[in-house]
Amino acid sequence: MSGFNEGLDVQTTEQMKQEKRIDTLNESGMSSMDAGNYEEAIIHFERAIALVYEQEPSFKELNKEVEANETMDAPFNNLSWAHNELGEYEKSLLNIEKSLLILPNSDIEFVNKGNALYGLNRSEEAMVEYEKAIKENEDSKSAYYGRGNIHYDNGNYIEAIENFTAYLNLDPHDMEAVELRFYSHIYGEDYDGALAFAERVISRNKNSIEAYKYKGIALGYTDEYEQVEAFYSFVKDKFPHKIEAHELLGELYYDYEHYNLAEEYFTELIEMNPEEATGYIWMIKIHNTQKEFESARQWYKNTRLIDSLDDNPEIHSAMGLNEMENGLYRDAIQYLKRAVELQPDSETYTTDLLEALLSSNRNSECIRVGLEAKDIPAIYTDIAFYTGMCYLESGYYKDAIIYFERALEIEAEDSEVLAELAYTHLMMGNVKEAEAFSDKSLQLYDGNSTASYVKTEVENYKKPLGERVKHFFLDNYLYLDEVKDAEKKLSKLDSPDITGQEIAGLIDQVRLKDDYFTFAITSDEYDLLTEELPEDIHFSEENGIAYFRINSFEVGTDDSFIESLDTIKDKEKKVLVLDVRGNPGGLADTANNMLNTLLPNYVTSMMIYRDGLTESYTSDPDQVKFKSIYVLIDENSASASELLALGLKSYLNNVTIVGRSTFGKGVGQSVLEDKEKKFMLFLVSHYWNVKQTNISNGGVKPDIGIEGDHLDSFMKVVKR
């Protein structure tokens, strides 16, 4: 018996030592947590858990509740907390699930699980965990905070106020909770309640300027301008050395469009503290709002004289927004890139950069920025939405859907995201999904034009193909007035059993005989047309010549073109060659986007429909300039190729057209497609003009004629 007792004592002693090591590692992890070193804390907690597994190997595959002491449980709970702080919610959930299997449980564990679920946008499940925490401990302040956040997100502001109040009764000095409760009053339109709460905050924090800010905001909803101005003047006098106190009054002038007063005020602020960024940022905003872009640029230049301000992202962001408002996207992108470089985890700066890239048709770069931003904790849908839009514009529909769905995980009731998701599914031929998402979008906002378009297209799609073709022809055919008894001739399309080939044959009979651009394709021809095309654009640069071989104008051709342009250095010293020989055309949108890049602010082209309706494409002020531009053409250059050549020649004085007269296709087509039935109808629906010039039957004339077909014959002119 004595031998057995001695063995037990040794085992117990070793167990105590092991638990002491676990406690020590856990305490080290908590010290790192307190210091904000979460990665370091995770290392300590994981080491502690490794010792737990040595002590209790069964815990590795634990799948049922067991009783154990707190030492064995705490590292799992704390590791979950650390992952939550880093936004690694899946890992947090994995660890807290194990912690909850080790009994007894506390409110802290339920809160950690609630926080992980909330981070994963599983708010209903998170609410259940917060309720458990409060049931376990009615003073679980973090549970009240979590419930308040969920109610706030869902627009349940009365419930949010109740929970933030309960939290603040337990922790009255948490200014983040103060802010959330205050804005719950504001967004719930309880302005008197907001003002009363702000007064209480001031009574507890008499020397905190934040408390006075809340009162000023509440006064803006409850009092006249003069009272608000008087209050902000009082705050400025109370905090004479606080930049924020002075900023409040200047911002008030700005918000009420008293720009002269705002400018005077911020000028004084800059003179008072020339190395503080706030005044410069507001001066840029003021001049930007008044469309005084050169003045805004001058204020930005002033900041560059102060070395310490060059590392302030707000300065670069303000200037980027100024240039974006002015339509100068390339400059805007450079400023916004600098802001993102200085603060890479900023949702706001990244969103602005994505918007500038999308607006300037730089979709490939936009996608890259969106991919790099995937780990930024997102409050809004913007990053996912803009990334999805860039995928959509590039024709990558499956990827676009992934990002639109990510946006909906953040905000399920975003009408614009739902509408674009519906449109993307429509482009893929997913009719049921397109209808479902367009319906959701229109339920939220019945004026959404994209969702309405998708809804109409889906309703049309439900009709027999022949009926759809008939209405499409009668509504859009440019030469309909010249077709005798068109509706009668098309009546055969009312047959529900008509085949695609029969439809194609009937269209050939009804269209004008000399209209070679209205036709239908089916079956094998459809497969051939829709299969992946060879490379649509090729770029090379040599001896000061940037050469582009453009084979067609497809989705993404413009993006590839712009992306290559951006790599060319010293553009204004170089020659640009656009080779569209043998290019039959393609998408007018693509050609106009390329013109947009090379032209300043012009109407690049105009589409004119049968009913007299016109649609204009315009270029923004941003222009990529070259020393000279040569466009190489021949008799097989048609449609979008001619649009590109004529647009450049009409507006720029450094453009030379080289080759032979083009085909002369001054009309454009609309397309009806049925992916399921493998049917596509190309229908002439409009003329297109550049500066009132239409090239039908005449084509674009060369400035210098070339007889042969070899590229060298054309490039001799360029090199000469």
Side-chain angles (χ1 to χ4, degrees):
M1 292 290 292
S2 60
F4 176 79
N5 285 333
E6 288 173 5
L8 181 63
D9 289 340
V10 171
Q11 183 180 16
T12 304
T13 302
E14 183 57 37
Q15 181 178 343
M16 291 174 62
K17 288 181 179 178
Q18 189 82 323
E19 290 187 3
K20 179 64 175 174
R21 295 189 195 105
I22 294 170
D23 282 336
T24 300
L25 285 167
N26 197 52
E27 289 168 6
S28 297
M30 291 306 297
S31 297
S32 297
M33 289 283 287
D34 291 339
N37 299 325
Y38 303 119
E39 291 91 348
E40 183 180 286
I42 286 172
I43 293 171
H44 292 303
F45 295 140
E46 287 179 340
R47 287 175 178 169
I49 288 171
L51 294 179
V52 170
Y53 288 151
E54 286 183 18
Q55 189 80 3
E56 291 289 349
S58 62
F59 279 17
K60 282 187 178 181
E61 305 298 332
L62 193 63
N63 56 14
K64 62 181 180 179
E65 293 181 341
V66 297
E67 294 277 350
N69 60 38
E70 185 179 352
T71 295
M72 308 296 280
D73 181 17
F76 296 100
N77 186 30
N78 292 332
L79 181 57
S80 170
W81 182 13
H83 282 303
N84 263 334
E85 292 292 341
L86 290 171
E88 298 169 349
Y89 302 115
E90 291 285 1
K91 292 179 180 178
S92 173
L93 188 59
L94 186 67
N95 284 283
I96 198 61
E97 292 282 17
K98 182 163 286 190
S99 179
L100 285 166
L101 290 173
I102 304 171
L103 304 180
N105 294 321
S106 69
D107 63 300
I108 296 172
E109 287 161 296
F110 293 122
V111 167
N112 270 339
K113 184 174 180 181
N115 290 344
L117 290 165
Y118 178 71
L120 292 168
N121 296 303
R122 294 160 61 179
S123 296
E124 291 184 10
E125 296 170 73
M127 185 68 85
V128 171
E129 299 304 318
Y130 294 139
E131 299 287 357
K132 290 179 184 177
I134 292 170
K135 186 176 181 180
E136 187 73 25
N137 175 13
E138 64 179 13
D139 289 335
S140 180
K141 65 177 186 177
S142 296
Y144 289 114
Y145 192 89
R147 289 203 314 184
N149 268 324
I150 293 173
H151 285 304
Y152 185 87
D153 292 344
N154 292 333
N156 304 323
Y157 297 116
I158 293 174
E159 293 84 351
I161 290 168
E162 290 173 355
N163 280 278
F164 289 131
T165 300
Y167 174 85
L168 288 167
N169 287 338
L170 297 166
D171 189 352
H173 300 296
D174 187 334
M175 294 306 288
E176 288 187 12
V178 166
E179 181 177 4
L180 286 166
R181 178 181 161 180
F182 174 77
Y183 279 106
S184 295
H185 285 290
I186 293 294
Y187 295 145
E189 298 183 1
D190 176 20
Y191 304 128
D192 290 332
L195 183 58
F197 178 63
E199 293 283 11
R200 288 200 295 276
V201 174
I202 289 174
S203 69
R204 293 175 182 170
N205 304 274
K206 293 185 181 297
N207 294 316
S208 170
I209 191 171
E210 290 296 323
Y212 291 87
K213 284 183 181 180
Y214 296 134
K215 181 175 178 179
I217 293 168
L219 285 173
Y221 287 98
T222 58
D223 279 347
E224 297 297 323
Y225 166 79
E226 289 76 12
Q227 283 74 33
V228 181
E229 182 184 29
F231 176 73
Y232 281 149
S233 295
F234 160 75
V235 174
K236 177 176 69 72
D237 293 338
K238 180 175 178 61
F239 300 96
H241 302 298
K242 291 275 189 180
I243 292 293
E244 306 98 292
H246 292 266
E247 183 182 1
L248 289 172
L249 194 53
E251 186 175 353
L252 176 70
Y253 293 142
Y254 176 85
D255 288 342
Y256 279 85
E257 299 182 9
H258 299 160
Y259 298 122
N260 291 336
L261 281 174
E263 185 167 352
E264 290 175 12
Y265 198 81
F266 285 116
T267 300
E268 291 177 7
L269 191 62
I270 290 168
E271 291 172 354
M272 184 177 78
N273 193 337
E275 296 198 8
E276 168 60 44
T278 299
Y280 295 102
I281 292 167
W282 277 104
M283 292 300 273
I284 293 169
K285 286 182 179 179
I286 290 165
H287 289 288
N288 182 27
T289 305
Q290 298 181 99
K291 311 297 183 187
E292 297 170 354
F293 300 117
E294 284 302 327
S295 298
R297 292 186 189 102
Q298 189 57 52
W299 278 105
Y300 175 78
K301 289 176 183 176
N302 290 345
T303 68
R304 305 309 297 273
L305 302 175
I306 304 168
D307 292 339
S308 61
L309 295 187
D310 191 50
D311 290 335
N312 187 301
E314 286 186 89
I315 289 284
H316 303 291
S317 172
M319 195 59 209
L321 295 176
N322 175 76
E323 299 297 63
M324 188 153 54
E325 176 71 19
N326 197 23
L328 299 175
Y329 294 107
R330 284 181 302 145
D331 290 336
I333 288 166
Q334 296 312 310
Y335 293 124
L336 294 170
K337 278 183 178 178
R338 178 62 176 154
V340 170
E341 179 186 328
L342 291 168
Q343 196 169 330
D345 60 347
S346 168
E347 182 177 11
T348 300
Y349 300 151
T350 300
T351 295
D352 291 338
L353 176 57
L354 288 169
E355 182 182 357
L357 291 166
L358 175 63
S359 299
S360 61
N361 299 301
R362 287 167 169 82
N363 297 310
S364 296
E365 187 172 2
C366 174
I367 289 168
R368 285 196 294 272
V369 171
L371 290 171
E372 290 169 1
K374 67 182 187 304
D375 294 327
I376 295 177
I379 299 173
Y380 305 105
T381 62
D382 294 339
I383 290 178
F385 174 74
Y386 282 124
T387 307
M389 287 300 296
C390 290
Y391 273 120
L392 173 58
E393 291 294 320
S394 300
Y396 301 129
Y397 300 130
K398 290 182 180 179
D399 295 294
I401 286 172
I402 290 170
Y403 274 87
F404 290 143
E405 288 178 343
R406 286 184 187 175
L408 292 179
E409 290 174 5
I410 299 169
E411 175 52 68
E413 297 189 342
D414 189 315
S415 174
E416 193 63 32
V417 175
L418 288 164
E420 295 298 343
L421 188 53
Y423 179 77
T424 309
H425 277 294
L426 181 69
M427 296 300 290
M428 294 183 70
N430 303 332
V431 179
K432 288 183 179 179
E433 292 86 348
E435 182 175 31
F437 286 116
S438 63
D439 284 343
K440 287 182 182 179
S441 176
L442 291 169
Q443 286 170 9
L444 294 167
Y445 173 50
D446 60 9
N448 190 298
S449 58
T450 301
S452 297
Y453 168 78
V454 173
K455 182 70 174 175
T456 301
E457 289 298 302
V458 167
E459 291 301 322
N460 287 334
Y461 194 86
K462 293 177 181 178
K463 299 173 184 176
L465 178 59
E467 183 181 345
R468 287 157 51 203
V469 169
K470 175 183 174 181
H471 288 294
F472 184 72
F473 191 99
L474 294 173
D475 291 342
N476 297 288
Y477 190 45
L478 182 63
Y479 311 123
L480 185 67
D481 296 339
E482 301 175 45
V483 179
K484 187 177 181 180
D485 298 328
E487 191 162 358
K488 182 179 178 180
K489 292 177 180 177
L490 292 169
S491 61
K492 293 180 182 179
L493 293 171
D494 293 331
S495 171
D497 299 324
I498 192 168
T499 66
Q501 288 185 336
E502 289 172 333
I503 293 172
L506 185 58
I507 292 298
D508 278 341
Q509 295 174 28
V510 176
R511 64 172 174 80
L512 294 186
K513 295 307 175 186
D514 57 351
D515 172 15
Y516 304 109
F517 307 122
T518 294
F519 56 90
I521 60 170
T522 61
S523 305
D524 293 341
E525 285 182 317
Y526 180 91
D527 289 335
L528 187 64
L529 184 68
T530 55
E531 70 182 10
E532 190 170 339
L533 296 170
E535 188 178 19
D536 55 351
I537 190 166
H538 169 75
F539 166 66
S540 61
E541 184 180 359
E542 188 177 358
N543 299 326
I545 298 175
Y547 171 82
F548 286 86
R549 178 72 175 108
I550 305 168
N551 297 310
S552 60
F553 293 85
E554 309 297 335
V555 173
T557 305
D558 47 354
D559 188 44
S560 298
F561 175 68
I562 294 167
E563 186 174 27
S564 295
L565 279 185
D566 287 344
T567 67
I568 302 171
K569 297 179 180 179
D570 300 322
K571 298 178 184 66
E572 294 193 27
K573 298 178 181 178
K574 293 180 179 178
V575 174
L576 174 66
V577 177
L578 304 176
D579 185 352
V580 292
R581 293 172 303 140
N583 184 331
L587 300 174
D589 284 356
T590 297
N592 278 289
N593 286 340
M594 294 165 74
L595 285 171
N596 177 32
T597 305
L598 296 170
L599 296 177
N601 195 196
Y602 288 124
V603 176
T604 57
S605 65
M606 179 185 293
M607 311 296 154
I608 307 162
Y609 296 87
R610 188 179 80 242
D611 58 4
L613 180 69
T614 61
E615 178 185 2
S616 295
Y617 287 89
T618 58
S619 54
D620 55 55
D622 206 8
Q623 179 191 11
V624 177
K625 295 181 181 179
F626 284 86
K627 178 182 178 181
S628 57
I629 299 175
Y630 290 82
V631 184
L632 314 186
I633 60 172
D634 65 14
E635 59 277 0
N636 294 314
S637 302
S639 191
S641 296
E642 297 171 292
L643 175 58
L644 180 67
L646 185 60
L648 292 172
K649 184 64 180 177
S650 298
Y651 287 113
L652 300 179
N653 58 15
N654 65 340
V655 174
T656 303
I657 309 293
V658 180
R660 297 182 292 278
S661 293
T662 59
F663 185 88
K665 185 188 174 189
V667 295
Q669 297 143 301
S670 295
V671 180
L672 183 150
E673 181 180 12
D674 189 316
K675 295 179 185 292
E676 185 179 348
K677 294 181 174 62
K678 293 187 176 182
F679 176 89
M680 193 179 293
L681 170 62
F682 291 84
L683 187 76
V684 171
S685 61
H686 60 272
Y687 292 105
W688 61 262
N689 288 352
V690 174
K691 289 183 74 173
Q692 306 307 315
T693 299
N694 184 277
I695 47 83
S696 291
N697 304 317
V700 178
K701 308 298 183 186
D703 297 309
I704 301 174
I706 300 293
E707 292 295 331
D709 291 325
H710 200 281
L711 177 59
D712 286 346
S713 302
F714 289 78
M715 292 302 292
K716 282 180 182 178
V717 174
V718 177
K719 294 174 181 177
R720 188 169 62 214

